Amino acid sequence: MQQELITKDVFQFLESLKKNNSREWFTEHKSKFKELETGVKSCYTALMNKLKAHDDIEKLKMFRIYRDVRFSKDKTPYKPHFAGSFSRAGLRLRGGYYLRIKPGETFIAAGFWEPNKEDLFRIRKEFETDATEIRSIINEKSFLKMWGEMQGDELKTAPSGFNKEHPNIDLIRKKQFIFVKNFSDKEVLAPDFLAQAALSFQAIRPYFNLMSEILTTNLNGESLVD
């Protein structure tokens, strides 16, 4: 049976790691980390199975706790959190899900983190042409209550080739198209945390459906995938 509960031990270990972020400390406590990691991975797998009830999920990717410090100002060797992403399956299903477990900073996210150059241009051209559908989805009351407003990096002005005075410039200048939902430690430790995360992910589907349609068709609505 898969574990479906994040335990206090997980938070306590991550808090200790944050305070003692050294190879010496981690080596001494590695057996405990491995034990907790197994339970956390089980939680992520349980969440993936909940997602599969309403979406086609291709794979779960768990991120390693070891930090790549080569190009980072933060030289601590470990990330004091657990994180994993869930990829949707097939060429027609775009977007992804993400969960990070960290004391005081747990969140789920969904959307498009780093669209490639072609996808980003296609999204911008769609919003330049008409943003009625996307706005009707992301401004719907229940959607806003669940996820809040769209987040992500954006340009300060219009991208090259786009009018900075365009009425949809707020969408066009975005480089990322993501939604984030935060959870308190109490909510994460509650028995229904994974169920609540899955319900939140299910609520993002109208957004994913539209964005998938945009990214698999041209501006004439003709399919780009077989």
Side-chain angles (χ1 to χ4, degrees):
M1 182 178 178
Q2 291 170 346
Q3 176 176 319
E4 295 198 12
L5 189 67
I6 300 294
T7 64
K8 289 183 178 179
D9 283 353
V10 171
F11 277 179
Q12 289 170 354
F13 180 88
L14 293 173
E15 289 278 18
S16 296
L17 176 59
K18 184 178 180 180
K19 295 175 183 176
N20 305 277
N21 202 325
S22 69
R23 289 181 175 83
E24 293 77 16
W25 185 90
F26 189 81
T27 299
E28 184 180 343
H29 296 84
K30 191 169 184 178
S31 60
K32 182 63 175 178
F33 165 72
K34 285 296 185 181
E35 175 190 332
L36 294 172
E37 183 186 41
T38 298
V40 171
K41 283 184 176 180
S42 183
C43 286
Y44 275 81
T45 301
L47 178 55
M48 179 175 67
N49 290 333
K50 291 181 185 298
L51 285 172
K52 285 182 176 179
H54 61 77
D55 202 353
D56 191 357
I57 304 300
E58 183 175 51
K59 65 179 179 179
L60 159 65
K61 177 184 178 182
M62 292 294 299
F63 295 96
R64 300 178 76 223
I65 201 166
Y66 306 96
R67 188 192 301 279
D68 184 352
V69 300
R70 291 174 299 171
F71 309 106
S72 174
K73 292 181 180 179
D74 185 350
K75 298 301 181 182
T76 53
Y78 306 101
K79 308 168 192 173
H81 64 257
F82 288 101
S85 64
F86 308 87
S87 301
R88 304 179 79 208
L91 294 175
R92 293 184 177 277
L93 301 180
R94 301 298 183 89
Y97 307 98
Y98 177 86
L99 165 62
R100 185 182 77 175
I101 303 293
K102 184 178 183 180
E105 299 178 41
T106 295
F107 68 86
I108 59 173
F112 302 81
W113 281 264
E114 295 180 343
N116 61 42
K117 183 179 179 181
E118 293 75 20
D119 282 355
L120 182 57
F121 182 74
R122 175 66 183 90
I123 292 168
R124 285 171 169 168
K125 291 301 291 184
E126 182 72 25
F127 294 163
E128 180 185 51
T129 302
D130 184 11
T132 305
E133 283 188 271
I134 189 68
R135 291 193 190 279
S136 67
I137 290 171
I138 66 177
N139 292 331
E140 198 270 326
K141 285 185 178 180
S142 62
F143 188 96
L144 276 172
K145 184 177 180 181
M146 181 72 76
W147 284 99
E149 296 184 352
M150 185 186 290
Q151 299 185 36
D153 294 341
E154 57 184 47
L155 300 171
K156 292 183 179 179
T157 185
S160 177
F162 291 85
N163 180 3
K164 65 180 181 180
E165 303 299 331
H166 193 283
N168 296 324
I169 195 60
D170 60 315
L171 295 172
I172 293 169
R173 69 186 180 196
K174 288 186 175 298
K175 297 189 291 183
Q176 298 175 315
F177 306 85
I178 59 178
F179 291 88
V180 177
K181 182 178 177 65
N182 297 303
F183 288 85
S184 68
D185 290 355
K186 182 179 179 180
E187 289 172 325
V188 177
L189 296 174
D192 67 342
F193 168 61
L194 295 185
Q196 292 301 316
L199 283 174
S200 299
F201 283 144
Q202 187 172 3
I204 207 81
R205 282 296 299 284
Y207 170 66
F208 274 1
N209 291 345
L210 176 60
M211 293 291 277
S212 294
E213 182 181 344
I214 291 170
L215 290 171
T216 57
T217 60
N218 60 27
L219 283 170
N220 293 322
E222 298 164 333
S223 178
L224 299 175
V225 296
D226 296 327

